[in-house]
Amino acid sequence: MADLAIRFPQNPLLEPADITPSQPELTVECVMNPGVFYFDNKTWLVLRIAERPLQKEGKVSFPVKDKDDRIKTLEFDKNHPLIELTDPRYVIYNGASYLSTISHLRLVCSDDGVHFYEPDDYPTMLTGLGSLESFGIEDCRVTEINGTYHLTFTEVSENGVGIGLMQTEDWKHISRRGMIFPPHNKDCAIFGEKINGKYYCLNRPSGLTVGGHYMWISASEDLVHWGEHKCILHTRDGFWDSERVGAGAPPIKTPDGWLVIYHGADSDHRYCLGALLLDLNDPSTVLSRTNDPIMEPVMQYEKEGFFGNVIFTNGHLIDNDRIDMYYGASDTVICGATFSIDEILTVLRDS
Ligand code: MAN
């Protein structure tokens, strides 16, 4: 099947050189995986900025936060016998895993959806705080429900990887609601309205021995306490989504059902996007799933970078039939693409 995405001709829209580091001693390595929302007649992105100190010859160094939320740097010899550096995203020392960069979230806005800037009159930086975010916060999804914006994002620390929640109405006062799903869980997308009186979200716990990186759905009365967990989507042997699957942005309501754009990765960590259709009244029922990706890494900026062959999305805006999707390419830059909802639904009807 052909790639259904029409990429923005201006791609990449944002790259590390466009971003001011959060601290003078850090370098921005990646600007990626933005949450997206519409507010005050503008398109806003909640960027994920990944930073580390400038790397010295023969050494590997990375930042973590201490118990007072101050950045400290850990540095090791690259050829230290206890160091493992097989994946650029991680540093393993003496059996303990760290991230090679620390991420924070940064707000930018745009009048045309293509040129983004940090507004002066808003707090634009959200950094990890406390013992559950000492390795940073990542990959924010934004769901607006009746004027309140709900931010779900990955919280990383030596305790594991879980899902945090923040809420705001005006983007000036943001309240932190803490961890809503404990480790290991990520990729949390809240539906934009109640279904049969309850809130729902997609999330992605990971089974360590039995199970896998599968998509789940959970329900809540208050968006903070979640239950009625159900596993709705497995990986598929021999397919492009054979190793992991995870929801993208909040599901899109269509006459056919809830449309979910999701990421799938294979054993080579190649990340593509596919689509799912969930029942409108019972979103734990999967009605259809695309066999082939609807978007694959093909452009140079999607194939090469900090971690190549990755298309990862967690944000979009909807305008009638058009999806304006923003995505991280190769975990390095931010790009945009449009889809037609109708075209995706046609493929789902035939799947
Ligand atoms: C994980 C997450 C994403 C990242 C991909 C590819 O799924 O950390 O943020 O984009 O891996 O590295």
Side-chain angles (χ1 to χ4, degrees), residues 198-200 216-221 226-231 284:
K198 283 181 191 151
Y199 296 109
Y200 283 87
W216 290 59
I217 193 164
S218 308
S220 174
E221 306 273 347
W226 294 87
E228 297 175 42
H229 309 289
K230 285 183 189 155
C231 185
S284 68

Side-chain angles (χ1 to χ4, degrees), residues 254-276:
T254 78
D256 287 16
W258 293 98
L259 173 61
V260 179
I261 296 182
Y262 75 97
H263 66 262
D266 63 15
S267 54
D268 293 326
H269 306 292
R270 182 170 183 268
Y271 280 69
C272 302
L273 301 181
L276 288 180

Side-chain angles (χ1 to χ4, degrees), residues 32-33 48 89-90 138-139 186-187 204 244 263 269 271 307 310-312 328 331:
M32 59 203 275
N33 306 1
R48 169 179 169 193
R89 300 170 297 176
Y90 301 102
E138 308 179 345
D139 300 353
K186 49 173 36 180
D187 300 326
R204 213 288 304 284
R244 49 187 71 235
H263 66 262
H269 306 292
Y271 280 69
F307 196 72
V310 171
I311 288 178
F312 189 98
D331 281 359

